Amino acid sequence: AQKITQTQPGMFVQEKEAVTLDCTYDTSDQSYGLFWYKQPSSGEMIFLIYQGSYDEQNATEGRYSLNFQKARKSANLVISASQLGDSAMYFCAMREGRHSNYQLIWGAGTKLIIKP
Amino acid sequence: NAGVTQTPKFQVLKTGQSMTLQCAQDMNHNSMYWYRQDPGMGLRLIYYSASEGTTDKGEVPNGYNVSRLNKREFSLRLESAAPSQTSVYFCASSGPGVRATRDGYTFGSGTRLTVV
């Protein structure tokens, strides 16, 4: 079974609009973490935001926020006021367990294209 | 700048040739990872090294070997390259503790490998 599901292979959004990228996860661990990464066309992987399973507040980092709904096991990334430079692949990933030497489990990604 | 350095950035091999991808990090991270990324897919873990002196198989280890040379360096070797190994390869590292967990992985810039 898929542990990380990103149901939107691709999205087109008008510049300056907000965009929500979906991510659902499956784990039986009580302690876990959720990550979002951006991969622009240049290929590098850029860390955006992190949400821990015990964090009571939704994570925010500038224009990025994570809509964490624990009961639904969803961790959607919200980008406010989208910009042309936001066009990229976006990956959701999950860490299970408490150990520091963790492995991340990755979704297949969503390709976001911002239209001018 | 501190980070993860991967070499080479591009490589073309003939079927049956061997090569080693090099990775070095200068962040004093304990854990290092090798991933491959195929078109339309997320990252798949090939091998990882939780700490110096240890290596473990990931999801797709067949056809690869690794060496954790010291704390800084983690190399990936293809003994007899096959066209199915055409992919983009990423090295990543992560440190110990909660802070490192929240920061996620630090990735190298990737190696684009083509096997003909």
Side-chain angles (χ1 to χ4, degrees):
Chain A
Q2 292 274 11
K3 289 230 171 184
I4 296 285
T5 303
Q6 294 181 253
T7 56
Q8 307 149 310
M11 287 185 70
F12 287 89
V13 172
Q14 200 69 40
E15 188 181 9
K16 299 181 184 176
E17 289 183 352
V19 56
T20 298
L21 304 180
D22 295 340
C23 174
T24 58
Y25 60 92
D26 182 25
T27 182
S28 56
D29 283 1
Q30 295 302 308
S31 175
Y32 54 89
L34 296 152
F35 300 79
W36 277 92
Y37 281 80
K38 173 183 179 181
Q39 186 179 39
S41 58
S42 52
E44 71 268 31
M45 296 290 287
I46 302 167
F47 167 74
L48 293 178
I49 198 166
Y50 168 83
Q51 179 84 41
S53 58
Y54 293 119
D55 292 343
E56 294 184 354
Q57 305 274 351
N58 285 343
T60 60
E61 294 284 350
R63 292 186 301 112
Y64 304 107
S65 61
L66 201 151
N67 184 0
F68 182 48
Q69 298 188 45
K70 197 169 181 177
R72 294 185 178 184
K73 294 188 175 179
S74 76
N76 298 339
L77 177 71
V78 180
I79 306 174
S80 63
S82 58
Q83 302 171 357
L84 296 178
D86 294 332
S87 294
M89 283 289 291
Y90 289 81
F91 292 97
C92 179
M94 176 175 66
R95 166 191 60 82
E96 292 181 298
R98 288 183 172 274
H99 300 297
S100 60
N101 297 325
Y102 60 86
Q103 297 180 43
L104 292 183
I105 303 164
W106 296 82
T110 295
K111 185 170 185 175
L112 176 65
I113 297 174
I114 307 298
K115 299 183 292 182
Chain B
N1 292 335
V4 178
T5 303
Q6 263 183 260
T7 56
K9 292 190 183 303
F10 300 93
Q11 184 71 48
V12 179
L13 290 179
K14 293 182 179 179
T15 297
Q17 286 185 319
S18 62
M19 79 161 294
T20 299
L21 281 64
Q22 306 287 353
C23 177
Q25 52 91 8
D26 57 7
M27 296 171 290
N28 202 34
H29 282 170
N30 287 337
S31 302
M32 298 185 73
Y33 311 82
W34 276 105
Y35 282 94
R36 61 178 288 172
Q37 183 181 29
D38 299 308
M41 300 182 71
L43 299 177
R44 292 188 293 169
L45 184 65
I46 304 171
Y47 271 93
Y48 69 101
S49 171
S51 60
E52 185 179 356
T54 68
T55 60
D56 285 287
K57 295 178 180 179
E59 181 186 357
V60 288
N62 291 345
Y64 305 94
N65 285 301
V66 291
S67 295
R68 183 75 182 266
L69 304 169
N70 48 55
K71 191 170 186 178
R72 290 186 63 247
E73 298 173 286
F74 187 40
S75 62
L76 178 72
R77 184 161 177 84
L78 286 70
E79 291 291 351
S80 178
S84 62
Q85 294 178 305
T86 293
S87 189
V88 179
Y89 291 84
F90 285 98
C91 178
S93 69
S94 66
V98 173
R99 177 174 173 78
T101 299
R102 290 187 169 273
D103 291 342
Y105 288 5
T106 301
F107 281 87
S109 56
T111 297
R112 190 172 295 273
L113 175 67
T114 302
V115 183
V116 298

